[in-house]
Amino acid sequence: MNKLANMRHWPERMSPNFGMSRSNMGMPAINPRQNVTPQAVPPIPIPQAPDATIHYSFNVPFSSDLAGPDTEDILHATADAVLRWTHSEDAPDDIPIYELPVHATNLAALRKLCKDLTSNAFPIQAHVISTTPKSVKGQVTTVCLSGHPKYVYDAREAILNETPLSLRCTKIDVDGYLVANLTEGVLKKSVTDYLDEVSLYCGVDIFLLGPQLTPLVDGLNGDVELRRDQRWRVAIYGDMLSSEHAKTRVLIHIDQLLGRIVDAVKYELSLHQIVCGRNRKNIKLIESATNTAIYFPPAFSQAYRYCPHNAQRRDPQEIFITGESPEAIAQAKFRLHEILTRMRIYVKDVQVPAPKIDSILLGRMDKVRKIVDANGTYIMFPGLASKQSTVRIQAMENLHLERSVRELMGLVGQFYTATWWISQPEPGRPLPNVDDIRAMLGDICANSDADVSFDKLTFTITGSDEAVKAALNVISQISFVAHSQYQIRVKIELANEHKEFVSGKKNGKINKIMGQSNVQIMFDNFGEYNFNIDVLASSYESMKQGLSLVEQEMPASISFHVPDQYHKRIIGIGGQHIQRIMKKHSVFVKFSNAMDRGGMGREDDDSTVDNVICRTPARNAQNLELVKSEILEMVDRADSEFTSQIVNVDRLYHRQLLVRLPEIEDLEKQWNCKIVFPSTEQASDEVTVTGPQWQVPMCVDAFLGMVPDKHEVVMERAPALIKFLESPDFVHNFVPKLKSQYEVEVTVHENVEDRTEDGAPTVTILWTFTRNNAGGLRDAMEFLQGEFATAGVEPVLIKGAIPRPKSDTFEESLQYFDSKLLQHAPAPVSTDSPTKPSFGDEVARERSTIFDRLRKPGSMSSISSFLDRRKNSSHTATNSFFKGSSNVSKSSLISIESTRSFNADRNPWNDSGVNLPDDDNPWSTGRAFSSSSNGADNKLTVPQPGDVTPRHGPRQSADSGRPSTSHSTNSGYPGPLSGPFLR
């Protein structure tokens, strides 16, 4: 009886070819035995006539929210850079950033290009629309193309490759003595001339900026302080490839100023990343052995064709090497060639839809770089907007090749494709004309960031998941569309191993969704790695509900590391421990040991590989962290949850640390941590330490013990002071005591350049210490102050004093009580000290420096005013610094597209293994699909009496139930609708 009852509604609940369709036309087959209404099946697409006309609209990523530097920080600027990146003096204070001359010029150039395309022999029309939607920060520029499909796509390719996309600012820290003559107080002409030359050669704008306040973390205690960085900054503004080209040339010039010589070698671009190895391990070994710096070109330069006018692109095959001697460079070249001779290349081509390739090239290259660096592979994309769909991946090992392919295909799943067919327009309502269509597409693109085409009453939308859903929301509000008969199809791409996970046993999950939301769901186009989930509906509300429920069944996962020796303890005898945890939280857990990852002793088998993955449907995602915490409770404290901490070390000192690579490896073994240096091209000070949360602070403290630091205190020369500093007691007792008790070394010398304001001579006390003992400087200086008081010495400080720390008493509240008996502590005086304690109350002034004599171009104020302003505001500046020990359980949901495929050559996910408890009506309440019109996220509706509240509600932060995969913050349609065919 139950079977008969189920079969009664079978045609309404299940597509006839569900789970096995491989239709070449991308549409469901029709079973003649079923009575299917015309609205239930998408119409058969009509072949386009040769003179068919389509309308295509897309956003141009101009980065119109990129602001120029502060005019008060500029010491030197290349030709017209100040005019392009700063507002005029008479501009109002509230003028938006997108009205900077550089952004206005780029927009004008785009308008001219579109005008030229329209007036050209090609039968197309190109129009530019600039809007400022409420949901988007800054200005959105949309291009609408109309004409023959071939010419439309060719025009889009020309626009994207002849327009400066994704402008950015790249900064390089440089010591002041390299770019300026500090004694004379002037910039070196050779440096400014070189910056001007690089600006013209690479097509970028370059600024030389003064120092800034930077945070500093002291060793084990993790205390944060703000100090003025003694280094100056070189800011480079331009598109991605041009700014990287200019950055590399500036870094090489800095090496030349440091006395290094430069050479170059050429290899095929596709071999560069493979030569570097996983996490650039091979290059770090070469640099540490030869004391050289190796600069590689951008790995994906072949996909972008834009080059600024009269500028030169970098040779994509050229690798620059700087070293202290020709022998060192020759040795580095030999080691590179040696790696190439041992290389064995595995190559694989995969097919990715062309629109998704363009979306990755325009917005996901940061994730692609992580995939490439982690696996040591090379990914060759076709040209931007070239309509090609083949992506080639190369690697030295098949395991790493498969990992890269799977992670890339997981990234492809972040993008949806939707089609909205209008089968029968509303009778009596005229069809929209070209201007109305252009207005519609412009509104849809500006408020969703998706690419939209309109052809024969059919909308085709491509973009990220949130962008496509936002576009559907906008289209549903168009009166011309809402009053017509239509059908909607949304394609979701997912890895093949998750088919059973989403469909459930005997397709139970999909059957329930189709029965509840009146949609059809088909699994189609199974490829080697991915397949498509087609969701079809004849109304927008049905699609909204059905797509939301499908996304709630999509896999949400989190991965982390647990040492292999704990796996048996966690799994238990016969799996009883892990089975209890899995049933308790309805989460499937998979362990991967060293053998599964490719065998023992492999270089990738280190302490940072995520070897435990927890997976569950997105509606149960909140239990992932609970499972993780229960698993980590069975791990010893020393091997507990892995976390990361960033340590700032001068990038030039990285080379000296890499020479001591054996000592760093000993630290890694001792504390079970991994110390990762940034690549040479990044020019970053950030060194990442990864390991167990209880071990990372210890490893950071030991690592900072290898980094020296110093602090100078300048005092006015006085007989009593000199007598004390030259006394045997100071030399034989005081100095050794500072070394033994405070880990600080003290030396005394006299600098003839340091003078008081009256021109009197001075004495300099130099304090040297390691970065992990920076906190001991305060105690050492307080001890010295006590010795001065005992000896009757009253020093007059000129420079280098440390402000008095804020007291934890109630003295700051005593100002409200008028009493002569209460004494108030003096206000702290800010200085340029690298530490935060107090030296004495006599800190009153800082003598002027060479910055008083340096002037900025255009009759700007002197650098001294900039430095004085920074110093005076240092005590009010605040900043939060991320500590490694506070990173516990910070990793939230890691969706399948960003999780490592650590077991690439196996297929363990052929079944979900997860069966959540079924409620009688688990979807009785409303599900979030898109944001409301005011930009706020939709919440679950209040259940009415008699309704059953689902056990696992959807996440409120994103509509898909998975971690948000798009960069947009709102998926709704907050902008106004206008036009005769718009509400």
Side-chain angles (χ1 to χ4, degrees):
M1 294 298 296
N2 293 335
K3 294 183 178 180
L4 292 176
N6 291 335
M7 293 176 62
R8 188 176 305 154
H9 302 287
W10 180 260
E12 302 176 3
R13 300 177 55 192
M14 195 75 168
S15 173
N17 57 350
F18 168 75
M20 63 187 73
S21 173
R22 294 177 181 264
S23 174
N24 294 329
M25 300 184 65
M27 57 171 290
I30 301 177
N31 192 334
R33 298 181 181 180
Q34 298 179 0
N35 183 17
V36 183
T37 60
Q39 291 79 12
V41 178
I44 299 176
I46 301 175
Q48 288 187 346
D51 57 347
T53 299
I54 67 170
H55 305 274
Y56 194 97
S57 181
F58 60 97
N59 291 338
V60 179
F62 265 138
S63 302
S64 59
D65 58 342
L66 178 62
D70 191 345
T71 55
E72 298 179 351
D73 295 350
I74 301 175
L75 306 179
H76 174 77
T78 55
D80 298 332
V82 175
L83 298 178
R84 280 194 290 264
W85 288 97
T86 60
H87 292 293
S88 59
E89 296 181 357
D90 55 350
D93 295 337
D94 58 346
I95 186 171
I97 297 176
Y98 60 80
E99 292 188 8
L100 281 171
V102 62
H103 300 311
T105 301
N106 291 336
L107 181 58
L110 177 62
R111 293 185 185 275
K112 184 180 183 302
L113 175 60
C114 291
K115 184 178 179 180
D116 294 340
L117 291 174
T118 303
S119 60
N120 204 346
F122 296 111
I124 64 170
Q125 291 185 354
H127 298 271
V128 179
I129 303 174
S130 297
T131 56
T132 55
K134 297 180 180 179
S135 61
V136 180
K137 180 182 178 182
Q139 187 182 52
V140 177
T141 302
T142 305
V143 175
C144 297
L145 303 174
S146 301
H148 190 275
K150 180 182 183 305
Y151 298 131
V152 165
Y153 291 122
D154 290 344
R156 177 176 179 267
E157 181 179 6
I159 290 173
L160 291 179
N161 287 281
E162 296 181 18
T163 304
L165 305 177
S166 304
L167 296 179
R168 63 192 61 195
C169 174
T170 303
K171 293 184 179 179
I172 304 173
D173 295 324
V174 57
D175 292 326
Y177 72 91
L178 294 176
V179 298
N181 191 330
L182 301 181
T183 57
E184 299 178 3
V186 294
L187 296 175
K188 294 182 179 179
K189 189 176 185 302
S190 59
V191 174
T192 57
D193 291 344
Y194 184 80
L195 295 180
D196 295 339
E197 179 184 349
V198 171
S199 174
L200 293 175
Y201 186 79
C202 301
V204 296
D205 294 319
I206 303 179
F207 298 89
L208 181 59
L209 309 178
Q212 64 178 351
L213 289 173
T214 57
L216 177 67
V217 175
D218 291 335
L220 187 59
N221 53 13
D223 292 338
V224 180
E225 65 179 14
L226 290 176
R227 70 168 177 178
R228 194 186 71 209
D229 196 336
Q230 300 300 317
R231 295 175 299 176
W232 296 8
R233 296 163 292 159
V234 177
I236 303 172
Y237 287 80
D239 63 278
M240 181 185 65
L241 292 183
S242 300
S243 60
E244 288 296 326
H245 186 192
K247 180 180 180 181
T248 301
R249 292 195 171 272
V250 172
L251 291 173
I252 292 174
H253 187 66
I254 292 176
D255 286 351
Q256 290 178 319
L257 295 176
L258 294 172
R260 289 178 163 243
I261 59 176
V262 183
D263 202 348
V265 63
K266 289 188 178 182
Y267 292 116
E268 173 65 32
L269 176 63
S270 60
L271 303 177
H272 290 185
Q273 203 65 38
I274 304 176
V275 169
C276 291
R278 300 183 65 245
N279 297 316
R280 296 179 64 92
K281 182 177 180 180
N282 296 339
I283 298 303
K284 292 302 177 186
L285 291 175
I286 295 176
E287 291 179 336
S288 63
T290 60
N291 194 18
T292 56
I294 305 177
Y295 299 90
F296 283 85
F300 309 103
S301 57
Q302 83 287 344
Y304 305 92
R305 299 205 310 266
Y306 173 77
C307 183
H309 183 61
N310 293 329
Q312 300 293 326
R313 286 173 60 99
R314 180 178 175 181
D315 187 348
Q317 299 182 356
E318 192 171 27
I319 303 172
F320 294 107
I321 305 175
T322 65
E324 297 181 348
S325 64
E327 293 77 12
I329 294 179
Q331 183 68 13
K333 289 182 178 181
F334 174 76
R335 290 174 178 263
L336 286 174
H337 182 72
E338 190 178 18
I339 296 176
L340 285 171
T341 55
R342 301 197 312 263
M343 190 176 294
R344 182 180 178 183
I345 304 297
Y346 292 83
V347 182
K348 189 164 192 178
D349 292 342
V350 293
Q351 298 299 319
V352 179
K356 297 187 178 183
I357 292 179
D358 294 341
S359 299
I360 292 176
L361 290 174
L362 292 175
R364 294 290 194 274
M365 292 309 295
D366 54 341
K367 295 185 178 180
V368 176
R369 288 190 185 92
K370 292 181 180 179
I371 295 174
V372 167
D373 291 340
N375 298 289
T377 55
Y378 172 74
I379 300 178
M380 183 175 66
F381 288 98
L384 179 62
S386 62
K387 299 297 291 180
Q388 298 181 11
S389 59
T390 302
V391 179
R392 173 164 293 182
I393 297 94
Q394 296 182 184
M396 288 187 65
E397 295 187 22
N398 190 55
L399 175 66
H400 299 151
L401 178 69
E402 286 296 322
R403 286 180 181 175
S404 299
V405 173
R406 291 183 183 275
E407 292 180 8
L408 178 64
M409 299 304 289
L411 189 63
V412 171
Q414 297 182 2
F415 302 96
Y416 289 0
T417 301
T419 306
W420 190 306
W421 288 283
I422 299 177
S423 57
Q424 184 175 352
E426 182 183 6
R429 180 183 291 268
L431 297 179
N433 55 34
V434 175
D435 294 334
D436 298 328
I437 294 175
R438 189 177 301 122
M440 284 192 303
L441 298 184
D443 282 341
I444 297 171
C445 286
N447 291 276
S448 66
D449 197 28
D451 291 0
V452 184
S453 65
F454 185 75
D455 177 27
K456 297 184 183 302
L457 300 181
T458 301
F459 292 93
T460 303
I461 307 106
T462 58
S464 64
D465 51 359
E466 298 294 333
V468 169
K469 290 187 291 185
L472 293 175
N473 187 20
V474 177
I475 296 174
S476 69
Q477 301 182 43
I478 301 176
S479 178
F480 156 70
V481 177
H483 293 85
S484 303
Q485 294 185 11
Y486 58 82
Q487 188 170 21
I488 311 173
R489 168 183 285 181
V490 177
K491 284 183 175 291
I492 304 173
E493 195 165 353
L494 193 63
N496 289 335
E497 56 262 29
H498 301 305
K499 175 186 176 296
E500 297 296 333
F501 192 101
V502 176
S503 63
K505 293 184 178 179
K506 298 182 180 180
N507 300 324
K509 295 181 181 180
I510 297 301
N511 290 343
K512 186 174 293 186
I513 293 175
M514 291 193 297
Q516 292 291 330
S517 57
N518 193 25
V519 297
Q520 283 186 321
I521 301 175
M522 299 181 299
F523 291 175
D524 198 5
N525 295 334
F526 284 86
E528 185 178 0
Y529 296 96
N530 289 3
F531 73 101
N532 287 328
I533 302 177
D534 286 4
V535 183
L536 297 94
S538 56
S539 69
Y540 171 72
E541 294 300 327
S542 298
M543 171 59 67
K544 181 172 66 173
Q545 183 183 14
L547 183 59
S548 176
L549 295 179
V550 171
E551 288 180 329
Q552 292 298 321
E553 298 300 334
M554 299 278 279
S557 60
I558 186 172
S559 59
F560 52 94
H561 178 81
V562 173
D564 291 355
Q565 63 265 25
Y566 296 98
H567 289 187
K568 291 184 179 180
R569 178 195 303 181
I570 298 172
I571 295 174
I573 300 176
Q576 57 181 357
H577 291 168
I578 196 63
Q579 288 290 340
R580 177 184 58 81
I581 296 176
M582 291 167 58
K583 291 180 180 179
K584 177 181 177 181
H585 299 285
S586 298
V587 174
F588 183 70
V589 182
K590 174 71 170 63
F591 292 85
S592 171
N593 55 29
M595 190 68 68
D596 296 330
R597 296 194 297 271
M600 297 295 293
R602 303 182 68 93
E603 64 175 31
D604 56 283
D605 188 27
D606 52 41
S607 61
T608 62
V609 173
D610 292 340
N611 55 8
V612 180
I613 183 169
C614 307
R615 184 165 292 151
T616 188
R619 59 191 174 100
N620 188 45
Q622 66 271 15
N623 283 353
L624 289 174
E625 286 289 345
L626 300 178
V627 173
K628 178 180 178 181
S629 61
E630 282 202 34
I631 291 177
L632 292 178
E633 284 178 359
M634 290 181 271
V635 178
D636 293 344
R637 178 173 178 176
D639 299 316
S640 58
E641 180 182 1
F642 276 55
T643 184
S644 298
Q645 181 174 338
I646 295 176
V647 182
N648 285 314
V649 179
D650 189 346
R651 65 174 185 85
L652 294 178
Y653 195 73
H654 292 181
R655 300 169 182 175
Q656 302 182 38
L657 292 173
L658 287 175
V659 174
R660 305 167 63 182
L661 198 58
E663 299 179 38
I664 295 178
E665 292 177 351
D666 292 339
L667 286 181
E668 294 177 339
K669 295 178 182 178
Q670 179 181 358
W671 301 108
N672 191 24
C673 293
K674 194 73 175 178
I675 301 176
V676 180
F677 289 87
S679 63
T680 310
E681 302 87 10
Q682 290 179 345
S684 174
D685 294 339
E686 297 181 349
V687 179
T688 304
V689 181
T690 304
Q693 60 174 329
W694 300 104
Q695 304 284 75
V696 166
M698 308 294 184
C699 184
V700 169
D701 184 74
F703 175 70
L704 289 179
M706 304 171 63
V707 182
D709 202 348
K710 64 180 180 180
H711 178 64
E712 289 185 351
V713 177
V714 181
M715 303 179 184
E716 183 178 350
R717 185 183 181 91
L721 176 63
I722 298 300
K723 181 180 179 181
F724 176 79
L725 296 178
E726 294 178 350
S727 63
D729 184 64
F730 175 81
V731 175
H732 300 292
N733 296 330
F734 180 75
V735 173
K737 185 179 295 185
L738 289 176
K739 178 61 178 176
S740 60
Q741 295 184 3
Y742 303 103
E743 299 291 338
V744 178
E745 295 184 359
V746 177
T747 57
V748 181
H749 62 277
E750 182 176 353
N751 191 350
V752 295
E753 297 179 358
D754 289 332
R755 296 280 179 171
T756 64
E757 295 180 356
D758 300 333
T762 59
V763 174
T764 301
I765 299 179
L766 179 63
W767 307 76
T768 57
F769 48 91
T770 55
R771 283 276 300 279
N772 62 330
N773 293 316
L777 180 62
R778 173 182 58 185
D779 299 331
M781 297 182 73
E782 288 179 351
F783 181 67
L784 175 61
Q785 182 183 6
E787 292 295 326
F788 281 160
T790 303
V793 178
E794 297 181 1
V796 179
L797 271 75
I798 305 301
K799 184 174 67 173
I802 300 177
R804 180 177 183 270
K806 184 177 179 180
S807 174
D808 57 354
T809 64
F810 300 99
E811 62 183 10
E812 60 182 14
S813 64
L814 299 181
Q815 55 180 320
Y816 303 104
F817 298 91
D818 187 12
S819 174
K820 296 181 179 180
L821 299 178
L822 300 176
Q823 301 294 328
H824 302 288
V829 180
S830 61
T831 67
D832 59 350
S833 168
T835 49
K836 49 184 175 295
S838 153
F839 186 82
D841 298 337
E842 52 276 336
V843 179
R845 62 188 182 276
E846 284 280 355
R847 86 181 176 88
S848 59
T849 62
I850 59 99
F851 302 113
D852 295 330
R853 299 188 291 271
L854 281 173
R855 304 289 296 179
K856 294 177 291 186
S859 299
M860 298 181 183
S861 59
S862 64
I863 301 180
S864 61
S865 63
F866 152 72
L867 295 175
D868 293 339
R869 183 179 67 260
R870 290 294 177 88
K871 290 186 292 184
N872 293 335
S873 62
S874 62
H875 64 282
T876 60
T878 57
N879 191 7
S880 59
F881 200 88
F882 195 75
K883 304 177 186 177
S885 59
S886 65
N887 194 25
V888 183
S889 300
K890 288 292 183 182
S891 56
S892 59
L893 306 181
I894 306 175
S895 56
I896 183 60
E897 59 269 13
S898 60
T899 305
R900 293 177 182 158
S901 302
F902 52 75
N903 197 13
D905 51 350
R906 297 183 60 189
N907 185 18
W909 304 109
N910 55 359
D911 193 4
S912 66
V914 178
N915 290 305
L916 300 179
D918 293 332
D919 298 324
D920 294 336
N921 188 6
W923 296 291
S924 59
T925 58
R927 298 279 178 166
F929 179 77
S930 62
S931 301
S932 60
S933 60
N934 58 2
D937 294 336
N938 292 334
K939 305 296 190 298
L940 289 176
T941 58
V942 179
Q944 301 298 324
D947 291 348
V948 179
T949 304
R951 177 186 175 192
H952 305 292
R955 301 183 326 122
Q956 299 179 4
S957 59
D959 299 327
S960 63
R962 299 175 294 155
S964 178
T965 55
S966 71
H967 298 300
S968 59
T969 56
N970 293 312
S971 58
Y973 178 62
L977 290 169
S978 60
F981 294 92
L982 307 177
R983 282 183 186 170

